[in-house]
Amino acid sequence: MTIYYKIAEKLSLPLKSVQAAAELLDEGATVPFISRYRKERTGSLDEVSVRAVENALKTERELEARKAFVKEAIAAAGALTPSLEASLENAATMTEVEDIYAPYKPKKRTRATMAREKGLEPLAKMIMSGNPDNCRSVASRFVGKNGVGDIDEALAGASDIIAEWASESTRLRNITRNSYRRSASLVSSVAKGKEKELAESPLACYGEFSQTVRRMPSHQYLALRRAEREGMIKVKFTLGDESDRLDESLCRTFVPRHAGRDCAGIIEDAVADASKRLLRPSVENEISAELKEEADRVAIDIFSDNLRQLLLASPLKGKRVLALDPGYRTGCKVVALDAQGNLLEDTVIYAAPPKEDIAGAKRTLERLIKTHRLDAIALGNGTASRETERFLKNNSLMPPEAIYIVSENGASVYSASDLARQEFPDKDVTVRGAVSIGRRLIDPLAELVKIDPKSIGVGQYQHDVDQNNLKNALDYTVMSCVNAVGVDVNTASEKLLSYVSGIGPALAANIVAYRAKNGDFQTRKDLKKVPRLGEKAFELAAGFLRVPGGKEPLDNTGIHPESYHVVNAMAEDLGVNPGDLAADNALLDKVNVEKLASTGVAGVETIRDIVTELRKPGRDPRTDDDNVAFVPGVGDFSEVREGMLLPGIVNNITAFGAFVNLGIKENGLIHISQMSRRRISSVNEVLKLGQRVEVKVVDIDSARKRIGLSLLI
């Protein structure tokens, strides 16, 4: 069975499509490029499917590499048989491979190895044969040899060897695994002396916690691990009544049926020892790793989905923005930005205590708004945000619907970064932070790509999951979003360009340097003049880069340069100039896709995509239908009452619910059970990041300042 066939079967995708996608990936093509510009070759696999093939290919190749290593290791030990070789070939998971390897794996010095050094393995084999009627009599033959002191020592050593054999038995390991997966629970208890610390922690509910392995929610498992890692609780597995049944099943499987009573008793004791000392701890580690892997997957998927929604939020196009980073003692940092996010002016006002110069702050902002013809206000949601918001609205500096509350998460990370220092070498971190807040409103994608995704604040237990897997998933999400939108090659930052298909950090730096030296690019072809940007990089990147107002109108569309001849063929068939096709739906409706494809100019899918692009050349796929600023219903936690109906904005989604910005410092939580009359498996079935919602306050915890909400359907 080929690796392509395995992947196709696993993903329920056509074999030819999987093979084509895998070959393209091996040739260096990116997922966005393959899904967008190689549809004919892959049978129109979408981006999700191509990404799944990419991940499955990596997993299968790692499995094959491990199989090859194990086969070589067993062969080197002189133990490889046709049966073992076939078992390895048929192994479908890493666990199966490791079970096969277990008896041959180099071992640390164990009780069993010490017993072997004393020459007791023949005794263990005799007992396992089940034949001796009197094991003590047989054991006496080994006394006085190789340091064996007496019969009991001989039998104990033989039992240790038998216990190790039992622990290496694939059948016994599977029985133990199945028992744990079916019946095990994880139970926690408060660590000694940590009662007060836990009681004051957000993880207090995990002090006395119990949940079956089968039903363990991902977020609860990550929370348990965090509380345990911080030393506040102890966690253990328990099998309850299943524990005795497990040992009985292990003995029934491992003890030879014909074994005499004496041999059977020794073997049963050895199996019980193996179960307690070797099998259970090993399987518990496996189950823990499986739970962690699944919890990581769920958390990373949620984080990636939230990040995608945040990056693809609607830009505030064509608006000049006044951005404010509020503060108390040090004042409120203010910047004026043009519609492209360029800094026009910066200053400081004192609109909140302790200085609270309301008149001076008002005069300053009125001047900025008038001088720079500003259209909207972006207000950071951090310290002193509520006081500054009241100041803005009380003084009617702009209509309430033009005042936007913007998340500050990650702004401080950006402002202290090398990138921020390069952009604003003569400005301090406070000005850079205010600029970042304003730019997030103007174009969320272009600004947020400059920040480590983990700092954006839309994840769940992001510091508890595998950091390499998290980074890979988030980097892919950013790349996917950037390429879905397209990038203006003449205005994009180096960071934004680095996420374009085929570019990367080094070529992005070269593009920016070339642009600075030679001026704006006039065509996509000009990119080939950039040092080290060869034909392959151009092929992968060109379709995702835009050149607005350049010499070639098609350079501002998602049509790849390799397909410009298709547009010419369309125009020729219709008897018009190529430039006449753009945005002319009447003409485009006349394009006979099948007829054009039959000439061999391009495939049907490619031609359809080109027609779609020509209908809205230079379009931005991000929707722009909800750019109304949020007007909160309350101004402070003290104003919140049970039963209140309030407007809100979803600002984070987790496995257990959604956090909602109510216009105050404290977010409210809609638990997943409060979202729908029907049972749902995922919050994303009901809510999306940035969605405006109407909620009802169902619970208030004044001590912890927590607000429980239900979603009004």
Side-chain angles (χ1 to χ4, degrees):
M1 186 185 295
T2 68
I3 194 170
Y4 301 139
Y5 184 86
K6 291 177 183 177
I7 294 172
E9 192 174 60
K10 179 181 178 182
L11 300 178
S12 299
L13 293 173
L15 177 59
K16 288 184 178 179
S17 297
V18 168
Q19 184 169 350
E23 289 171 351
L24 284 163
L25 288 165
D26 287 342
E27 291 167 11
T30 63
V31 173
F33 176 80
I34 295 169
S35 59
R36 177 65 180 82
Y37 296 113
R38 292 295 178 264
K39 290 182 178 179
E40 272 79 26
R41 188 166 167 185
T42 67
S44 296
L45 288 187
D46 62 16
E47 188 172 338
V48 173
S49 296
V50 178
R51 174 66 167 170
V53 171
E54 182 181 47
N55 289 333
L57 198 62
K58 179 175 180 288
T59 299
E60 288 296 330
R61 284 175 173 167
E62 287 174 350
L63 179 63
E64 292 302 314
R66 185 59 177 170
K67 284 182 181 181
F69 171 83
V70 169
K71 180 180 177 180
E72 186 178 326
I74 295 176
L80 187 64
T81 64
S83 175
L84 267 176
E85 194 169 358
S87 296
L88 264 177
E89 179 65 29
N90 295 326
T93 66
M94 211 60 99
T95 298
E96 291 177 47
V97 173
E98 296 307 322
D99 278 354
I100 293 169
Y101 187 35
Y104 312 98
K105 187 180 293 186
K107 297 177 177 64
K108 298 177 182 177
R109 187 172 171 79
T110 63
R111 284 161 47 174
T113 56
M114 288 186 282
R116 288 190 180 93
E117 290 167 3
K118 294 179 179 180
L120 294 172
E121 189 163 21
L123 175 59
K125 289 179 178 178
M126 283 186 249
I127 295 171
M128 276 303 298
S129 74
N131 293 324
D133 293 326
N134 188 325
C135 292
R136 293 187 68 83
S137 175
V138 174
S140 65
R141 304 175 197 169
F142 295 84
V143 176
K145 300 177 181 177
N146 301 314
V148 178
D150 53 33
I151 291 174
D152 289 338
E153 184 179 343
L155 289 174
S159 294
D160 286 339
I161 294 171
I162 293 170
E164 186 170 272
W165 287 338
S167 73
E168 293 170 345
S169 164
T170 299
R171 290 187 67 190
L172 266 56
R173 292 185 73 83
N174 283 334
I175 289 170
T176 307
R177 285 187 188 109
N178 292 336
S179 180
Y180 268 78
R181 287 174 180 147
R182 182 176 60 250
S183 305
S185 294
L186 276 171
V187 178
S188 68
S189 58
V190 184
K192 187 176 180 180
K194 296 290 184 177
E195 292 82 1
K196 183 179 179 183
E197 182 181 343
L198 181 63
E200 296 173 351
S201 164
L203 302 170
C205 59
Y206 294 100
E208 293 183 0
F209 176 85
S210 178
Q211 181 58 273
T212 61
V213 166
R214 283 187 301 132
R215 303 190 178 199
M216 176 67 71
S218 61
H219 65 278
Q220 289 187 339
Y221 185 69
L222 291 174
L224 273 178
R225 285 180 63 97
R226 178 184 291 182
E228 184 179 36
R229 189 175 64 251
E230 293 178 0
M232 293 187 288
I233 65 171
K234 293 184 177 181
V235 181
K236 66 178 182 179
F237 284 89
T238 178
L239 280 171
D241 296 339
E242 177 69 14
S243 184
D244 291 338
R245 287 193 288 272
L246 170 59
D247 285 347
E248 289 171 7
S249 179
L250 294 175
C251 288
R252 208 166 40 245
T253 302
F254 198 69
V255 177
R257 292 183 180 180
H258 62 275
R261 182 177 298 177
D262 200 19
C263 289
I266 292 174
I267 297 171
E268 286 174 358
D269 288 345
V271 170
D273 174 49
S275 176
K276 179 181 179 181
R277 184 169 57 86
L278 302 170
L279 278 169
R280 294 192 189 205
S282 176
V283 168
E284 285 174 7
N285 286 338
E286 276 185 28
I287 299 291
S288 294
E290 289 173 3
L291 287 171
K292 177 65 164 54
E293 184 178 351
E294 175 60 14
D296 280 7
R297 184 194 65 77
V298 172
I300 290 171
D301 284 352
I302 289 172
F303 200 152
S304 299
D305 194 45
N306 287 350
L307 179 62
R308 181 179 297 276
Q309 293 176 45
L310 196 62
L311 293 175
L312 295 181
S314 300
L316 197 65
K317 292 182 178 178
K319 303 293 184 182
R320 299 164 72 89
V321 171
L322 179 73
L324 295 89
D325 183 1
Y328 288 116
R329 183 180 57 81
T330 57
C332 177
K333 277 61 69 181
V334 182
V335 297
L337 307 174
D338 67 16
Q340 287 71 46
N342 297 311
L343 178 61
L344 303 173
E345 186 178 344
D346 66 272
T347 188
V348 178
I349 62 171
Y350 296 87
K355 192 169 181 179
E356 205 166 5
D357 178 13
I358 302 298
K362 181 180 180 181
R363 284 195 303 272
T364 299
L365 295 191
E366 284 177 336
R367 179 187 62 78
L368 287 172
I369 292 169
K370 182 178 180 180
T371 301
H372 301 293
R373 296 172 283 112
L374 305 178
D375 307 298
I377 295 177
L379 174 63
N381 67 343
T383 304
S385 177
R386 297 306 150 214
E387 292 85 347
T388 306
E389 183 184 10
R390 280 195 291 270
F391 156 75
L392 293 172
K393 291 179 178 177
N394 289 342
N395 287 278
S396 302
L397 290 162
M398 276 194 190
E401 62 271 18
I403 301 173
Y404 298 82
I405 307 299
V406 178
S407 171
E408 291 185 12
N409 287 336
S412 59
V413 174
Y414 161 76
S415 63
S417 68
D418 291 339
L419 178 57
R421 282 192 287 272
Q422 290 170 13
E423 287 191 285
F424 302 104
D426 59 338
K427 301 296 181 183
D428 65 23
V429 293
T430 60
V431 174
R432 298 171 193 158
V435 170
S436 180
I437 290 169
R439 286 177 170 177
R440 290 183 190 198
L441 183 61
I442 294 170
D443 190 340
L445 177 61
E447 189 62 22
L448 291 174
V449 295
K450 302 174 184 176
I451 302 166
D452 181 348
K454 289 185 290 185
S455 301
I456 296 177
V458 290
Q460 164 193 315
Y461 296 107
Q462 59 260 39
H463 301 294
D464 299 283
V465 303
D466 183 285
Q467 295 301 293
N468 285 333
N469 289 344
L470 177 62
K471 183 180 186 305
N472 289 338
L474 298 185
D475 282 349
Y476 168 75
T477 299
V478 176
M479 181 182 73
S480 172
C481 292
V482 168
N483 289 285
V485 172
V487 172
D488 183 339
V489 71
N490 287 322
T491 61
S493 67
E494 182 179 320
K495 189 69 174 180
L496 186 60
L497 284 167
S498 72
Y499 284 106
V500 172
S501 168
I503 297 296
L507 281 181
N510 290 353
I511 291 171
V512 171
Y514 183 90
R515 189 175 70 195
K517 181 179 179 181
N518 299 283
D520 286 354
F521 292 93
Q522 297 303 307
T523 67
R524 280 170 167 165
K525 287 183 180 179
D526 289 344
L527 284 161
K528 294 181 179 181
K529 300 175 184 177
V530 173
R532 305 182 68 83
L533 200 156
E535 288 295 331
K536 186 64 177 180
F538 180 80
E539 177 190 37
L540 296 177
F544 303 106
L545 294 169
R546 308 284 186 266
V547 187
K551 296 177 181 177
E552 169 56 74
L554 294 179
D555 284 350
N556 194 35
T557 71
I559 301 171
H560 198 284
E562 67 187 12
S563 295
Y564 286 179
H565 70 283
V566 180
V567 179
N568 294 331
M570 283 181 190
E572 185 178 345
D573 188 56
L574 294 172
V576 298
N577 293 319
D580 296 336
L581 291 172
D584 191 329
N585 287 333
L587 270 178
L588 293 169
D589 287 341
K590 296 178 182 179
V591 174
N592 189 325
V593 174
E594 286 72 20
K595 176 186 173 184
L596 198 58
S598 68
T599 67
V601 68
V604 169
E605 291 298 328
T606 296
I607 297 172
R608 285 176 179 162
D609 283 348
I610 289 171
V611 171
T612 300
E613 285 290 336
L614 288 171
R615 290 187 187 279
K616 293 184 178 180
R619 80 191 191 284
D620 189 331
R622 294 172 289 181
T623 57
D624 197 18
D625 56 359
D626 192 23
N627 264 331
V628 179
F630 170 55
V631 181
V634 289
D636 190 80
F637 181 86
S638 61
E639 299 175 21
V640 181
R641 300 286 184 271
E642 284 190 27
M644 267 187 171
L645 305 183
L646 297 171
I649 298 176
V650 177
N651 63 2
N652 197 10
I653 289 176
T654 68
F656 54 85
F659 289 94
V660 177
N661 174 14
L662 300 172
I664 58 177
K665 180 180 179 181
E666 297 77 16
N667 289 321
L669 171 66
I670 311 175
H671 190 268
I672 191 169
S673 62
Q674 298 283 349
M675 290 186 183
S676 174
R677 293 188 181 92
R678 62 184 176 88
R679 186 170 181 176
I680 59 174
S681 58
S682 169
V683 176
N684 280 314
E685 291 179 36
V686 180
L687 296 174
K688 298 296 179 187
L689 208 64
Q691 182 176 335
R692 298 176 190 281
V693 292
E694 292 291 325
V695 295
K696 181 178 180 180
V697 179
V698 295
D699 180 62
I700 300 173
D701 183 342
S702 297
R704 297 184 180 183
K705 289 200 169 184
R706 293 182 176 178
I707 305 168
L709 306 171
S710 67
L711 181 64
L712 298 181
I713 305 299

